[in-house]
Amino acid sequence: MPLVTSTEMFKKAYEGHYAIGAFNVNNMEIIQGIVGAAKQEQSPVILQVSAGARKYANHIYLVKLVEAALLDTDLPICLHLDHGEDFEICKQCVDGGFTSVMIDGSKYPFEQNIEMTRRVVEYAHEHGVVVEAELGKLAGVEDAVKVAAKDATYTDPDQAVEFVERTGCDSLAIAIGTSHGAYKFKGEPSLDFARLEKITNMLPGFPLVLHGASTVIPSFVQKCNQYGGALDGAQGVPEDMLLKAGTFGVCKINVDTDLRLAMTACIREHFATHPADFDPRQYLKPARQAIQDMVAHKIRNVMNSSNRL
Ligand code: G3H
Ligand code: 13P
Ligand code: ZN
């Protein structure tokens, strides 16, 4: 099966009150681990590529690895640009075989975000590619503790309706309390479900996206700390909150940090326990398996998208 857009995936996810996992990919082992899990769970999946991933691995290598995954699995896979920062990178990905792009104009004023997004939507739709946009600002890693500014950066429901109408985007990333990275909450985790419910009700049938949605799995954090340290105070979004988000309009849940932690924990442990190893296959094989196990767990227990082909 060729690459698909997220349109059909999101329609079924919306109606079935579950979400599709969108996992960041940077190399072959990460792609194989994620796709192995999706196959095992018989789940659709989104593989997303950041600007940093394109710089690291080279666009064409990532596209060809994903094409290999399609041949190997025959799964519905959507290839998505994560956090495209301008028209040019979105155009390159549309022209370069992606089936979905994100234009992230969230740091710009409302009208400028609309303008940028509209331009990308027009180009992408002409080429059969769907567009995710973002309204509202997620906290960055350093900003995770800035609770006072909360309402100023969370997505405004009225603006969300106007934004979707005026841009024609196909899905919208919203800010309701998640943040990127391993340090999401200082105290008790909490998401603004009242806001999510309001946005869902005001945009019936429209797919919403949750970024910064890693759960920051404690066993990986513990292992990273045991074999090297430096992750004290890491905390993610609890699984039950993500499951609940999937019962509202959230159709896409983004995960990157958990992949990094799974891989790093495994490799750190490997070298601590096998100091003489120097063949990359010896540590990348268990790391790939750790990713597969973790993603399969998420597909079952966080996305609720197993057996949804
Ligand atoms: O939200 C961003 C993703 O975690 C991608 O991170 O830009 O370092 O590849 P990256
Ligand atoms: P995490 O940092 O929570 O994994 O979020 C990833 C993300 O939103 C990618 O766009
Ligand atoms: Zn993100």
mmCIF file of all heavy atoms in Angstrom, residues 24 48 82-83 138 179-182 184 210-214 254-258, ligand 2:
data_model
loop_
_atom_site.group_PDB
_atom_site.id
_atom_site.type_symbol
_atom_site.label_atom_id
_atom_site.label_comp_id
_atom_site.label_asym_id
_atom_site.label_seq_id
_atom_site.Cartn_x
_atom_site.Cartn_y
_atom_site.Cartn_z
ATOM 1 N N ASN A 24 8.106 10.441 16.298
ATOM 2 C CA ASN A 24 9.218 11.096 15.574
ATOM 3 C C ASN A 24 10.275 10.080 15.167
ATOM 4 O O ASN A 24 10.695 9.248 15.979
ATOM 5 C CB ASN A 24 9.852 12.175 16.440
ATOM 6 C CG ASN A 24 8.987 13.416 16.496
ATOM 7 O OD1 ASN A 24 7.929 13.412 17.127
ATOM 8 N ND2 ASN A 24 9.392 14.474 15.816
ATOM 9 N N GLN A 48 6.592 10.886 11.907
ATOM 10 C CA GLN A 48 6.819 12.309 11.667
ATOM 11 C C GLN A 48 8.301 12.656 11.740
ATOM 12 O O GLN A 48 9.068 12.080 12.506
ATOM 13 C CB GLN A 48 5.964 13.180 12.564
ATOM 14 C CG GLN A 48 6.083 12.939 14.043
ATOM 15 C CD GLN A 48 5.032 13.741 14.819
ATOM 16 O OE1 GLN A 48 4.067 14.265 14.249
ATOM 17 N NE2 GLN A 48 5.228 13.874 16.112
ATOM 18 N N ASP A 82 6.927 17.452 10.969
ATOM 19 C CA ASP A 82 6.617 17.951 12.312
ATOM 20 C C ASP A 82 7.176 19.371 12.470
ATOM 21 O O ASP A 82 8.355 19.615 12.177
ATOM 22 C CB ASP A 82 7.288 16.996 13.326
ATOM 23 C CG ASP A 82 6.850 17.233 14.748
ATOM 24 O OD1 ASP A 82 5.719 17.704 14.957
ATOM 25 O OD2 ASP A 82 7.640 16.915 15.665
ATOM 26 N N HIS A 83 6.350 20.294 12.926
ATOM 27 C CA HIS A 83 6.775 21.679 13.204
ATOM 28 C C HIS A 83 7.489 22.364 12.033
ATOM 29 O O HIS A 83 8.587 22.915 12.211
ATOM 30 C CB HIS A 83 7.695 21.730 14.437
ATOM 31 C CG HIS A 83 6.989 21.396 15.716
ATOM 32 N ND1 HIS A 83 6.129 22.258 16.350
ATOM 33 C CD2 HIS A 83 7.008 20.268 16.468
ATOM 34 C CE1 HIS A 83 5.650 21.679 17.442
ATOM 35 N NE2 HIS A 83 6.146 20.466 17.531
ATOM 36 N N LEU A 138 2.668 26.027 23.226
ATOM 37 C CA LEU A 138 3.084 25.054 24.239
ATOM 38 C C LEU A 138 4.304 25.594 24.965
ATOM 39 O O LEU A 138 5.131 26.266 24.344
ATOM 40 C CB LEU A 138 3.501 23.752 23.561
ATOM 41 C CG LEU A 138 2.465 22.642 23.504
ATOM 42 C CD1 LEU A 138 1.370 23.017 22.531
ATOM 43 C CD2 LEU A 138 3.107 21.329 23.091
ATOM 44 N N SER A 179 3.605 20.015 27.234
ATOM 45 C CA SER A 179 4.774 20.764 26.758
ATOM 46 C C SER A 179 5.820 19.781 26.232
ATOM 47 O O SER A 179 5.811 18.604 26.590
ATOM 48 C CB SER A 179 5.364 21.615 27.876
ATOM 49 O OG SER A 179 5.885 20.806 28.890
ATOM 50 N N HIS A 180 6.699 20.295 25.412
ATOM 51 C CA HIS A 180 7.724 19.423 24.819
ATOM 52 C C HIS A 180 8.801 19.063 25.843
ATOM 53 O O HIS A 180 9.107 19.856 26.727
ATOM 54 C CB HIS A 180 8.382 20.118 23.621
ATOM 55 C CG HIS A 180 7.459 20.267 22.453
ATOM 56 N ND1 HIS A 180 6.946 21.473 22.032
ATOM 57 C CD2 HIS A 180 6.928 19.338 21.618
ATOM 58 C CE1 HIS A 180 6.162 21.290 20.980
ATOM 59 N NE2 HIS A 180 6.128 19.997 20.710
ATOM 60 N N GLY A 181 9.383 17.891 25.664
ATOM 61 C CA GLY A 181 10.549 17.525 26.473
ATOM 62 C C GLY A 181 10.210 16.644 27.674
ATOM 63 O O GLY A 181 9.089 16.149 27.816
ATOM 64 N N ALA A 182 11.192 16.478 28.547
ATOM 65 C CA ALA A 182 11.072 15.507 29.649
ATOM 66 C C ALA A 182 10.589 16.121 30.957
ATOM 67 O O ALA A 182 10.365 15.413 31.925
ATOM 68 C CB ALA A 182 12.416 14.815 29.864
ATOM 69 N N LYS A 184 7.618 18.198 32.126
ATOM 70 C CA LYS A 184 6.353 18.808 31.690
ATOM 71 C C LYS A 184 5.598 19.499 32.816
ATOM 72 O O LYS A 184 4.868 20.448 32.578
ATOM 73 C CB LYS A 184 5.476 17.745 31.036
ATOM 74 C CG LYS A 184 6.129 17.127 29.801
ATOM 75 C CD LYS A 184 5.162 16.274 29.046
ATOM 76 C CE LYS A 184 5.840 15.451 27.963
ATOM 77 N NZ LYS A 184 6.483 16.272 26.925
ATOM 78 N N LEU A 210 -2.481 16.725 19.901
ATOM 79 C CA LEU A 210 -1.789 17.015 21.160
ATOM 80 C C LEU A 210 -0.289 16.796 20.983
ATOM 81 O O LEU A 210 0.169 15.671 20.775
ATOM 82 C CB LEU A 210 -2.326 16.057 22.232
ATOM 83 C CG LEU A 210 -2.579 16.638 23.624
ATOM 84 C CD1 LEU A 210 -3.358 17.930 23.575
ATOM 85 C CD2 LEU A 210 -3.251 15.609 24.501
ATOM 86 N N HIS A 211 0.446 17.897 21.051
ATOM 87 C CA HIS A 211 1.913 17.809 21.040
ATOM 88 C C HIS A 211 2.389 17.636 22.482
ATOM 89 O O HIS A 211 1.621 17.790 23.426
ATOM 90 C CB HIS A 211 2.517 19.102 20.467
ATOM 91 C CG HIS A 211 2.456 19.148 18.980
ATOM 92 N ND1 HIS A 211 3.591 19.128 18.199
ATOM 93 C CD2 HIS A 211 1.406 19.197 18.123
ATOM 94 C CE1 HIS A 211 3.229 19.172 16.924
ATOM 95 N NE2 HIS A 211 1.909 19.214 16.849
ATOM 96 N N GLY A 212 3.677 17.346 22.630
ATOM 97 C CA GLY A 212 4.254 17.265 23.969
ATOM 98 C C GLY A 212 3.563 16.225 24.824
ATOM 99 O O GLY A 212 3.302 16.449 26.010
ATOM 100 N N ALA A 213 3.267 15.066 24.239
ATOM 101 C CA ALA A 213 2.401 14.099 24.911
ATOM 102 C C ALA A 213 3.137 12.834 25.352
ATOM 103 O O ALA A 213 2.511 11.803 25.588
ATOM 104 C CB ALA A 213 1.231 13.742 24.001
ATOM 105 N N SER A 214 4.448 12.908 25.498
ATOM 106 C CA SER A 214 5.154 11.743 26.048
ATOM 107 C C SER A 214 4.764 11.564 27.510
ATOM 108 O O SER A 214 4.513 12.543 28.225
ATOM 109 C CB SER A 214 6.670 11.938 25.946
ATOM 110 O OG SER A 214 7.123 11.607 24.648
ATOM 111 N N ASN A 254 1.315 13.151 19.829
ATOM 112 C CA ASN A 254 2.730 13.176 19.418
ATOM 113 C C ASN A 254 3.668 12.647 20.501
ATOM 114 O O ASN A 254 3.571 13.060 21.661
ATOM 115 C CB ASN A 254 3.153 14.615 19.131
ATOM 116 C CG ASN A 254 2.653 15.112 17.797
ATOM 117 O OD1 ASN A 254 1.810 14.490 17.163
ATOM 118 N ND2 ASN A 254 3.176 16.241 17.365
ATOM 119 N N VAL A 255 4.597 11.810 20.071
ATOM 120 C CA VAL A 255 5.563 11.223 21.005
ATOM 121 C C VAL A 255 6.960 11.268 20.396
ATOM 122 O O VAL A 255 7.189 10.717 19.317
ATOM 123 C CB VAL A 255 5.197 9.751 21.305
ATOM 124 C CG1 VAL A 255 6.265 9.096 22.158
ATOM 125 C CG2 VAL A 255 3.830 9.649 21.965
ATOM 126 N N ASP A 256 7.845 11.916 21.085
ATOM 127 C CA ASP A 256 9.258 11.886 20.705
ATOM 128 C C ASP A 256 10.124 11.560 21.926
ATOM 129 O O ASP A 256 10.948 10.637 21.907
ATOM 130 C CB ASP A 256 9.689 13.221 20.083
ATOM 131 C CG ASP A 256 11.101 13.154 19.518
ATOM 132 O OD1 ASP A 256 11.698 12.062 19.519
ATOM 133 O OD2 ASP A 256 11.630 14.183 19.072
ATOM 134 N N THR A 257 9.934 12.315 23.007
ATOM 135 C CA THR A 257 10.787 12.154 24.189
ATOM 136 C C THR A 257 10.831 10.699 24.675
ATOM 137 O O THR A 257 11.902 10.195 25.044
ATOM 138 C CB THR A 257 10.292 13.091 25.315
ATOM 139 O OG1 THR A 257 10.421 14.439 24.848
ATOM 140 C CG2 THR A 257 11.098 12.922 26.574
ATOM 141 N N ASP A 258 9.689 10.008 24.680
ATOM 142 C CA ASP A 258 9.695 8.617 25.152
ATOM 143 C C ASP A 258 10.557 7.708 24.269
ATOM 144 O O ASP A 258 11.150 6.741 24.750
ATOM 145 C CB ASP A 258 8.263 8.060 25.236
ATOM 146 C CG ASP A 258 7.539 8.560 26.487
ATOM 147 O OD1 ASP A 258 8.205 8.823 27.510
ATOM 148 O OD2 ASP A 258 6.297 8.678 26.445
HETATM 149 P P1 13P B 2 7.307 15.040 23.501
HETATM 150 O O1 13P B 2 8.492 15.892 23.770
HETATM 151 O O2 13P B 2 6.355 15.049 24.678
HETATM 152 O O3 13P B 2 7.628 13.655 23.100
HETATM 153 O O4 13P B 2 6.483 15.707 22.291
HETATM 154 C C1 13P B 2 6.866 15.452 20.961
HETATM 155 C C2 13P B 2 6.173 16.352 19.996
HETATM 156 O O5 13P B 2 5.240 17.067 20.288
HETATM 157 C C3 13P B 2 6.681 16.336 18.621
HETATM 158 O O6 13P B 2 6.071 17.300 17.820
#
